[in-house]
Each structure stands twice: as C-alpha cells, then as structure tokens.
Amino acid sequence: MKPTVMNALDKWREASDQLRESAVNALGLALPGLAPTKTPTYCCPVTLTIDKPRELGNGRVCVDDDTRATVELDDVPNDVIAEAVDAMFGIGWFDQADGPLTDAAPGAYNYDDEQTGAEYEIVLGDNATRTGRVYVSYVPVPYAAELLDAITAARSRQEQEAAAAG
C-alpha cells in the first residue's frame, strides 16, 4: 500500500476513534449511570451498561463500527417512557398510538425511521409491573443521546413532583 494511502487511513482511524469516544461521553452524560463495560465478542466494539440498575432500569447501549447506537433498556417506569417519548417525538408519532403515550394502554408501540434506518420499539408494561422496555436499533448517536436525556429528564421531573407531593 502506498504511504500516502496508509497515512490517510491512519488519520481516518484516529478520527473514528475520537468520534467513538465522543459518542460514549455524550451517551454517558445523557443517562447518568451508563458506563463502559467489557464488550461481548458477538457485540459492537463499545458496550455501556447501567451501573445502578435499580435506580435507572436495566440495560445497555452499544455503539457499532458506524457509530450508530442500539439502546436496550428494561424495567423503566411506563410513565417515564411515555413522557420522554411524547416530549421527544410529539403526540401520536408511534404506530398504534392515537394519542399521548401517557394515556396509552399496555403494549408495544413501534416506529421505523426511514431517513436514518433506526427502528424504535416502546413497550409499556402491564398495570401490575408498571414498567416497560425501550429498544432502539441502528440509531445515530445524537438521536440516542436525545432519547436517553429525555428519559433522564422525565425521571427527574417525576421524582421532584413526587417529593413535592409527598
């Protein structure tokens, strides 16, 4: 390989590594408690898991070679999910949702973003558990960070409201 090509590829690798590091930083700031962990051999190059699962739900966020994120969060309160998704996307954005998710019945709500190729699945759990699941695949990191930040903001607002009422 020509030295000029090798130098160009080295610069590209450096930029790619820096982009990945910036993605990890943004995702960790968006959802406090999200921290790098050992990545399974079958997974993306970067895996972040929630280090306080009882406070923040359970799950992980992976960042792939193309700097796209996959978000898998379980045991997130339905009210937090609904408020965050409605705030980020607007009312009735997801399939099967005719109005706000805060008023929606338990079940799965989906959205496929044709522009980015991202696939969103929001599951509101039954009334007994009152917790659900957020699963997003192949989403650009800025969108993933925005969603995680919306979840964090909804949780904080609801905690403050409960403390004021309590």
Side-chain angles (χ1 to χ4, degrees), residues 113-127:
D113 186 341
E114 293 177 9
Q115 184 177 13
T116 65
E119 299 172 357
Y120 294 79
E121 181 181 62
I122 305 301
V123 178
L124 300 177
D126 61 29
N127 292 331

Side-chain angles (χ1 to χ4, degrees), residues 97-166:
D98 296 328
L101 284 178
T102 54
D103 297 336
Y109 300 88
N110 301 291
Y111 168 62
D112 293 336
D113 186 341
E114 293 177 9
Q115 184 177 13
T116 65
E119 299 172 357
Y120 294 79
E121 181 181 62
I122 305 301
V123 178
L124 300 177
D126 61 29
N127 292 331
T129 63
R130 303 188 69 183
T131 62
R133 172 179 163 85
V134 175
Y135 182 80
V136 183
S137 58
Y138 315 116
V139 66
V141 167
Y143 292 23
E146 184 179 358
L147 177 61
L148 295 175
D149 187 61
I151 289 170
T152 300
R155 187 183 71 241
S156 294
R157 191 199 62 72
Q158 290 177 15
E159 286 174 349
Q160 289 173 356
E161 191 175 274

Side-chain angles (χ1 to χ4, degrees), residues 42-144:
Y42 61 85
C43 197
C44 298
V46 175
T47 302
L48 309 165
T49 58
I50 297 174
D51 65 0
K52 298 177 184 177
R54 286 177 182 44
E55 293 176 30
L56 305 168
N58 294 307
R60 67 183 183 162
V61 177
C62 298
V63 180
D64 68 15
D65 287 326
D66 296 319
T67 321
R68 294 174 304 175
T70 295
V71 176
E72 300 173 359
L73 300 176
D74 292 311
D75 301 324
V76 179
N78 287 345
D79 293 342
V80 170
I81 294 170
E83 182 179 327
V85 170
D86 284 346
M88 183 173 166
F89 290 95
I91 304 301
W93 193 267
F94 280 61
D95 296 339
Q96 299 88 28
D98 296 328
L101 284 178
T102 54
D103 297 336
Y109 300 88
N110 301 291
Y111 168 62
D112 293 336
D113 186 341
E114 293 177 9
Q115 184 177 13
T116 65
E119 299 172 357
Y120 294 79
E121 181 181 62
I122 305 301
V123 178
L124 300 177
D126 61 29
N127 292 331
T129 63
R130 303 188 69 183
T131 62
R133 172 179 163 85
V134 175
Y135 182 80
V136 183
S137 58
Y138 315 116
V139 66
V141 167
Y143 292 23

